[in-house]
Amino acid sequence: MFKILEANELAANIHQLIVEAPRVAGTCLPGQFLIVRAEEDGERIPLTICDYDREKGTVELVVQALGAESRKICRKKAGDSLADVVGPLGNASDLCSEDIEELKKKKIVFIAGGVGTAPVYPQAKWLKEHGVDCDVIIGAKNKDLVILEERFKTVCNLYVTTDDGSYGREGMVTKCLQDLYDEGKRYDHCVAIGPMIMMKFVCKLTKELGIPTIVSMNTIMVDGTGMCGACRLTVGGKVKFACVDGPEFDGHEVDFDQAMKRMRLYQTEEGRLALKEQEGDTHHGGCGNCN
Ligand code: NAD
Ligand code: FES
């Protein structure tokens, strides 16, 4: 069991949990994720890591109460426990293995949409700790849904934009990026994390602007080990599994339309059977030894 030390509501339906998980906190890096179960018999849900404290042995999760399982997690209070916190899973952000002096020469922009703001924070913080500056654009539907603003201000140059203009700039993140470009900003590298539809349109724009772009693919996940096929997607014409090959990919190579269609199909038994039939041997990744 993994004890919850703090539980807060950051915005409507968006909850922050600080969880005791020393083994995860000791090794995780920005970009990686966890698979969490509220109770022993619960459904597994993938959650990105918002922050970690190696000394205290804690990880911070930001969870949106969407389905039954995430609502169960969001109802937890300080002193309660989570049955499973498995991880760190997936690959760390490529930024963590790049030469720091080379990174310092790059103009980096992160685009953080809605709850996808949470996994951007550890990347911006990691860069700040390594002396690398970056810009971050946070996009939210309205003022009440902007999260982590004060913490971001301490690690980056921040732009906030709301769809309805109730706070910061007005419009979606793509409009903000285009406006910054029109105001003379130039970027060498973009990382976009948020709803898939947002990442699709950010990539469309950054392709036009010639900015290499990394996205973090938040597909449905079940086992997190490449075996079940839930997180299958196509990147550069090749079959990939977000849990083991990602979650970060070259956004200009991702087939977002297929990924979004597949997520919808995967939600029903009938859809899963149809995908299994269509995808044949490539439906799941396998363990590497079972052909
Ligand atoms: P949302 O729908 O409120 O969107 C957030 C922002 O994304 C908007 O304010 C807008 O600026 C931008 N956006 C949305 N649609 C766009 C479009 N068509 N074109 C350009 N920009 C657009 O976000 P939400 O409800 O907080 O998002 C929840 C989603 O985020 C869930 O689907 C969740 O799975 C996903 N998420 C993703 C990750 C990840 O790692 N990629 C992590 C956590 C959550
Ligand atoms: Fe099962 Fe990725 S979550 S293959």
Side-chain angles (χ1 to χ4, degrees):
M1 300 295 266
F2 296 81
K3 193 168 174 194
I4 297 168
L5 303 180
E6 261 187 60
N8 303 299
E9 192 169 18
L10 295 181
N13 286 332
I14 305 176
H15 295 250
Q16 172 211 45
L17 301 180
I18 312 270
V19 182
E20 217 170 50
R23 273 196 298 169
V24 175
T27 54
C28 65
L29 282 170
Q32 291 186 296
F33 67 94
L34 305 170
I35 288 194
V36 173
R37 280 197 307 178
E39 313 293 347
E40 288 288 338
D41 55 353
E43 198 185 310
R44 298 155 176 223
I45 63 161
L47 292 175
T48 30
I49 300 168
C50 173
D51 204 355
Y52 50 88
D53 187 322
R54 298 210 199 285
E55 278 178 24
K56 291 185 183 156
T58 57
V59 287
E60 178 179 340
L61 311 176
V62 172
V63 192
Q64 188 174 34
L66 278 179
E69 192 65 17
S70 55
R71 279 201 295 273
K72 255 192 239 168
I73 294 175
C74 291
R75 279 197 294 271
K76 298 263 184 193
K77 307 230 167 346
D80 294 344
S81 297
L82 296 169
D84 279 336
V85 176
V86 177
L89 296 168
N91 300 297
S93 163
D94 279 349
L95 292 174
C96 300
S97 51
E98 276 189 43
D99 182 85
I100 296 295
E101 294 313 311
E102 288 304 312
L103 273 183
K104 283 181 185 168
K105 292 181 201 155
K106 284 190 184 173
K107 299 251 176 294
I108 302 171
V109 62
F110 287 90
I111 306 210
V115 190
T117 301
V120 169
Y121 179 70
Q123 301 209 25
K125 184 180 166 190
W126 189 93
L127 289 178
K128 174 80 178 173
E129 285 167 357
H130 289 80
V132 182
D133 294 330
C134 67
D135 285 0
V136 174
I137 299 172
I138 292 182
K141 287 194 187 79
N142 57 52
K143 181 176 192 285
D144 295 337
L145 293 173
V146 176
I147 57 168
L148 307 171
E149 183 184 5
E150 292 310 312
R151 284 165 73 184
F152 268 100
K153 279 184 188 162
T154 66
V155 296
C156 67
N157 179 31
L158 183 64
Y159 300 90
V160 178
T161 184
T162 50
D163 299 3
D164 66 358
S166 52
Y167 190 60
R169 295 177 178 229
E170 180 174 357
M172 293 189 176
V173 289
T174 37
K175 178 173 183 302
C176 185
L177 181 62
Q178 180 69 61
D179 289 348
L180 291 177
Y181 184 86
D182 295 343
E183 289 161 25
K185 280 268 185 186
R186 293 294 179 268
Y187 295 108
D188 305 306
H189 187 80
C190 172
V191 179
I193 309 184
M196 245 187 238
I197 190 75
M198 177 205 93
M199 296 190 285
K200 173 183 164 170
F201 282 102
V202 167
C203 288
K204 186 169 176 285
L205 176 61
T206 56
K207 204 165 187 177
E208 285 162 23
L209 301 178
I211 312 170
T213 301
I214 296 296
V215 294
S216 180
M217 293 302 285
N218 57 312
T219 51
I220 292 173
M221 290 193 192
V222 180
D223 63 350
T225 64
M227 302 281 282
C228 71
C231 67
R232 184 187 188 275
L233 71 161
T234 305
V235 183
K238 295 198 177 109
V239 170
K240 298 281 177 188
F241 295 90
C243 65
V244 287
D245 299 318
E248 296 195 347
F249 295 99
D250 178 345
H252 295 163
E253 297 284 327
V254 171
D255 185 338
F256 286 103
D257 292 336
Q258 186 209 53
M260 288 187 279
K261 188 174 164 207
R262 197 177 186 280
M263 289 242 289
R264 282 193 297 276
L265 276 173
Y266 206 89
Q267 279 163 10
T268 65
E269 181 66 33
E270 202 186 343
R272 286 194 290 277
L273 284 172
L275 286 170
K276 208 168 176 183
E277 199 177 306
Q278 279 166 29
E279 295 169 356
D281 288 347
T282 69
H283 178 66
H284 58 75
C287 62
N289 297 313
C290 63
N291 297 318

